[in-house]
């Protein structure tokens, strides 16, 4: 399995947003949508602000493949669903730390959307 370079991790983690384009069932990419991304160690994670109703998330969960752009990094990725509560606790903290300046109206839904946590793995 491919891993992120230190440079890629830093550039993506320092960016406020990531452009997410999941791959549809027919192999084409959905139009990119801006979402928040957080780092935990050498891994990157995203969640759906709209929870399981988020269109991009439903597509990503079905295909487990897509493309991301952030901080000058442009990569094909695999989406891995994350159910581990310890990882999700750290991801909660990462969202609060990185995006807390935007206030609870934006951060609280991201923390509540634990069931939508996806790990981004470069391909």
């Amino acid at each position: 399995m491919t891993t992120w370079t230190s440079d890629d991790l830093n550039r993506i983690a320092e960016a406020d947003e990531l452009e997410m384009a999941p791959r549809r069932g027919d192999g084409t990419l959905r139009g990119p949508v801006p979402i928040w991304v957080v780092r935990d160690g050498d891994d990157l994670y995203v969640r759906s602000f709209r929870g399981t109703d988020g269109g991009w998330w439903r597509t990503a969960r079905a295909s487990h493949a897509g493309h991301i752009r952030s901080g000058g990094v442009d990569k094909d990725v695999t989406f891995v669903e994350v159910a581990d509560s310890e990882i999700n606790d750290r991801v909660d903290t990462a969202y609060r730390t990185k995006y807390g300046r935007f206030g609870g109206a934006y951060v609280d839904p991201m923390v509540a959307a634990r069931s939508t946590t996806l790990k981004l793995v470069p391909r």
Side-chain angles (χ1 to χ4, degrees):
M1 190 175 292
T2 305
T3 59
W4 294 105
T5 67
S6 293
D7 185 53
D8 287 350
L9 282 169
N10 291 333
R11 290 166 66 188
I12 294 171
E14 290 171 5
D16 272 341
E17 292 183 330
L18 173 143
E19 289 184 8
M20 163 72 66
R23 197 162 296 285
R24 297 181 180 113
D26 67 2
T28 62
L29 292 173
R30 276 181 55 112
V33 295
I35 62 170
W36 286 353
V37 59
V38 296
R39 179 179 178 177
D40 177 47
D42 289 337
D43 297 315
L44 297 168
Y45 297 92
V46 295
R47 288 181 176 166
S48 171
F49 182 83
R50 291 190 169 88
T52 56
D53 292 332
W56 74 260
W57 181 82
R58 289 191 318 268
T59 304
R61 184 173 180 235
S63 70
H64 296 284
H67 192 85
I68 61 104
R69 256 192 308 263
S70 182
V73 178
D74 201 330
K75 293 267 188 195
D76 287 327
V77 294
T78 298
F79 306 115
V80 179
E81 294 178 59
V82 177
D84 183 290
S85 62
E86 289 182 18
I87 291 173
N88 271 299
D89 288 346
R90 293 193 308 267
V91 171
D92 290 349
T93 299
Y95 271 106
R96 287 187 183 105
T97 301
K98 183 174 179 179
Y99 297 107
R101 69 187 185 278
F102 293 106
Y106 295 100
V107 177
D108 292 348
M110 298 306 291
V111 172
R114 289 171 68 110
S115 66
T116 68
T117 304
L118 296 174
K119 179 179 171 180
L120 305 178
V121 179
R123 293 192 288 136

